[in-house]
Amino acid sequence: GKLTFNMNGGQEVEVTTDLIMGNDGAYSAIRKHMVKRPRFNYSQEYIPHGYMELTVPPKNGEFQMAVNYLHIWPRNEYMMIALPNQDKSFTLTVFMPFDMFDQLKT
């Protein structure tokens, strides 16, 4: 197959390969078409966890945490990570079971 990539600046790059695999999430449009093929073996199982993203904005135009460190806070069944952004904010991602999210009051 052939893939076409639109690069920054408008340049197109074409790549030809023997096999193209697409991974586009739980409601995959690619998978929907692949399962129509004969003898395509498929199963799907959802994990009991989800995630929520939070933002820590910059303070006085600067990062509020050390920027050159990996921020990970594990806690038994859940964890949170923080990744710096170019605007000097942080994106925090909380991973935890859906039933714990359901218990949150705010």
Side-chain angles (χ1 to χ4, degrees), residues 8-66:
N8 289 339
Q11 178 188 8
E12 281 191 358
V13 175
E14 289 187 355
V15 177
T16 302
T17 183
D18 294 334
L19 177 66
I20 299 171
M21 287 296 296
N23 300 290
D24 58 347
Y27 301 101
S28 170
I30 294 168
R31 185 185 314 113
K32 181 179 174 181
H33 290 283
M34 290 178 73
V35 298
K36 295 176 185 177
R37 300 194 51 91
R39 298 186 305 181
F40 185 84
N41 190 11
Y42 163 76
S43 68
Q44 181 170 326
E45 183 177 328
Y46 292 96
I47 63 172
H49 290 70
Y51 71 94
M52 177 185 293
E53 290 188 346
L54 308 167
T55 300
V56 174
K59 185 175 185 179
N60 299 323
E62 294 300 324
F63 288 106
Q64 291 200 53
M65 294 185 284

